[in-house]
Amino acid sequence: MNGTAGSEELSRKGPIRSDDWAAHVSRIRDDKDQAAFAELFRHFAPRVKAFLMKSGADAALAEECAQEVMATLWHKAHMFDPARATVATWIFTIARNRKIDALRKQNRPEPEDLPWGPAAEPDQEDVLTLQQETQALGQALAELPPKQRELIERAYFGDLSHSEIAAETGLPLGTIKSRIRLALERLRHEMK
Amino acid sequence: MKTPQIKHHLTDELLMAYSAGSLPEAFSLVVATHVSLCDECRARLGSFDTLGGAMLEECGSAELDAGALDATMARILEGAPQVAPKEKPRKSRGVFPGPLQDYVGGDVEAVKWKPVGMGVRQAILPTSHDASVRLLYIPAGCAVPDHGHRGTELTLVLQGAFMDEDDRFARGDVEVADEDLEHTPIADIGEDCICLAATDAPLRFRGIVPRLAQPFLKI
């Protein structure tokens, strides 16, 4: 991390970069730092709420769930492993699970955890690589042709199967599938 | 239990839908069970979760209620999370991976099999009703009734192997079938075969006897 520092905010342990979300989570884990939490909250809670509303929640339920997701982040800060996921990905998975529970009212079977479990002290190089790859992926996503990007968004947020998307957009299922396949091919080399 | 090379994997469509949280529970169980056995699909799933994180960053924001942050802090200070994320199942040493053991209540010996004729046994597992999932026990060398499909059917092999006209599926392999596929899977001669099979539509059997049996199979 160098050079591109964003705005900084003073907190008890001194400044952290305003977009270094992993550092915010460590601060919450180690110091119960409410200022760090407030910054994370201002960035992510409105996104989580938008995600839940796009998935079919009304505004009140989405608000309730977004607050729960952020509270879970506080309580589970010790579970976050920056070598395995970025903060955005981690929050996405918490919000996704909340969606399945609160909106779809189903269980979500989870895969077994890896036998070696999270490393005690994550390798800084792994953390950096993951952040760079994720940034490149975000960039690639932003540069997708609008038609492809919209279908990926619908698949993630609209809670529709490919055939339901076909029914709603009037596009043939084959077209939907090949657009999604093309989009994934473009994204794939960023998703190692 | 050691898993040899897996040759038949989950599709992008299934992994993406599992990551997005839009699969029926029955399908999610097959995905979670396969991913527990398959490092390749685990890595691909990780990529789709990463894509989900990128979507969360990119896809706009909704205005929160006034006082949302204070309300959340109050929630936090009240103590334990109201909605704790589930702990992940631990590594299983048995035939069934952890997520499947959660649904069965143990490993193979805990399954409450029901005979469905011709030596085949099944156990339907409790899930939401938008799709169904069951364990199938097929004696070595026996055929699963000839059937085509409506909707999507996933079949994950946990023990033994089965073959259809085109291919062989062994432990960890998953067959993803849609309405285009008509096939006659036969359990390999070496060992009795146990599969986890999920479907979002009732199977239609082509033989007269299996068709009569269908209401009793509850599938």
Side-chain angles (χ1 to χ4, degrees):
Chain A
M1 291 295 173
N2 53 36
T4 55
S7 67
E8 290 174 352
E9 176 163 322
L10 285 175
S11 65
R12 279 186 285 145
K13 257 191 182 174
I16 41 180
R17 265 185 44 184
S18 68
D19 61 348
D20 184 356
W21 300 124
H24 286 70
V25 174
S26 321
R27 207 56 87 75
I28 293 165
R29 180 194 62 204
D30 298 339
D31 304 320
K32 308 253 173 263
D33 186 332
Q34 294 194 16
F37 181 76
E39 286 192 7
L40 262 176
F41 187 93
R42 278 193 285 273
H43 183 79
F44 284 107
R47 288 173 165 79
V48 171
K49 184 173 179 180
F51 162 56
L52 293 165
M53 288 177 72
K54 284 181 187 176
S55 302
D58 62 32
L61 181 61
E63 173 81 26
E64 169 86 10
C65 290
Q67 291 187 18
E68 283 168 359
V69 167
M70 297 311 289
T72 300
L73 177 148
W74 175 285
H75 289 297
K76 293 283 170 181
H78 62 284
M79 308 276 290
F80 174 64
D81 179 355
R84 279 168 72 170
T86 63
V87 173
T89 297
W90 185 49
I91 293 176
F92 165 74
T93 61
I94 298 172
R96 182 252 341 258
N97 292 353
R98 195 73 200 96
K99 169 179 97 169
I100 295 169
D101 192 42
L103 272 68
R104 303 190 62 218
K105 306 202 185 300
Q106 294 191 4
N107 281 320
R108 176 182 168 87
E110 290 278 353
E112 283 175 0
D113 219 340
L114 290 171
W116 50 85
E121 199 53 51
D123 183 338
Q124 281 312 303
E125 201 169 320
D126 289 349
V127 175
L128 195 61
T129 308
L130 183 68
Q131 284 175 351
Q132 285 167 344
E133 281 172 8
T134 306
Q135 229 164 26
L137 178 63
Q139 188 66 31
L141 188 62
E143 287 166 4
L144 277 183
K147 283 179 180 173
Q148 290 177 16
R149 186 191 147 118
E150 192 198 321
L151 287 178
I152 298 272
E153 274 183 32
R154 296 288 293 275
Y156 270 89
F157 299 121
D159 212 3
L160 295 173
S161 71
H162 294 180
S163 23
E164 287 166 326
I165 295 173
E168 196 172 296
T169 58
L171 290 169
L173 186 57
T175 307
I176 307 263
K177 288 195 173 186
S178 70
R179 267 187 201 160
I180 288 180
R181 193 167 55 240
L182 278 173
L184 291 177
E185 275 164 21
R186 280 171 190 252
L187 297 174
R188 179 143 285 138
H189 72 281
E190 310 295 348
M191 304 196 302
K192 304 217 176 64
Chain B
M1 192 167 168
K2 196 167 174 295
T3 302
Q5 196 82 43
I6 292 171
K7 286 180 305 207
H8 300 276
H9 298 275
L10 293 164
T11 60
D12 281 340
E13 179 173 0
L14 284 163
L15 282 168
M16 185 155 81
Y18 178 76
S19 173
S22 56
L23 277 186
E25 184 180 353
F27 285 7
S28 290
L29 179 59
V30 178
V31 171
T33 305
H34 175 82
V35 167
S36 298
L37 295 169
C38 179
D39 291 342
E40 183 181 323
C41 287
R42 183 188 291 277
R44 288 167 64 212
L45 176 61
S47 300
F48 283 112
D49 286 347
T50 303
L51 184 55
M55 302 293 295
L56 184 69
E57 281 283 5
E58 297 277 322
C59 284
S61 57
E63 199 178 338
L64 294 169
D65 293 356
L69 176 58
D70 291 343
T72 304
M73 272 324 297
R75 225 180 254 273
I76 287 166
L77 298 173
E78 275 167 26
Q82 290 180 334
V83 186
K86 236 179 6 176
E87 301 298 334
K88 292 187 175 178
R90 268 176 305 190
K91 191 77 183 164
S92 146
R93 294 177 185 283
V95 174
F96 294 168
L100 180 54
Q101 293 211 10
D102 286 349
Y103 277 75
V104 170
D107 204 15
V108 179
E109 64 280 354
V111 179
K112 296 182 180 65
W113 296 108
K114 296 229 167 72
V116 292
M118 295 172 286
V120 177
R121 291 181 278 165
Q122 74 169 6
I124 297 169
L125 303 177
T127 60
S128 61
H129 296 297
D130 43 0
S132 64
V133 63
R134 67 212 155 111
L135 282 160
L136 276 174
Y137 189 103
I138 306 151
C142 284
V144 179
D146 188 16
H147 59 284
H149 305 261
R150 270 178 297 169
T152 302
E153 188 186 29
L154 308 182
T155 310
L156 170 64
V157 179
L158 296 159
Q159 175 190 299
F162 72 79
M163 284 159 297
D164 64 11
E165 288 80 350
D166 302 319
D167 237 325
R168 182 174 190 276
F169 295 79
R171 176 170 165 86
D173 284 328
V174 62
E175 182 191 56
V176 181
D178 60 21
E179 48 262 39
D180 302 332
L181 188 76
E182 299 258 345
H183 69 161
T184 313
I186 296 174
D188 203 354
I189 198 73
E191 192 182 2
D192 292 350
C193 178
I194 298 177
C195 300
L196 182 66
T199 177
D200 58 4
L203 300 184
R204 67 191 146 87
F205 288 106
R206 294 165 74 214
I208 178 69
V209 173
R211 182 171 305 147
L212 288 172
Q214 196 165 352
F216 305 105
L217 296 175
K218 280 204 266 171
I219 48 180

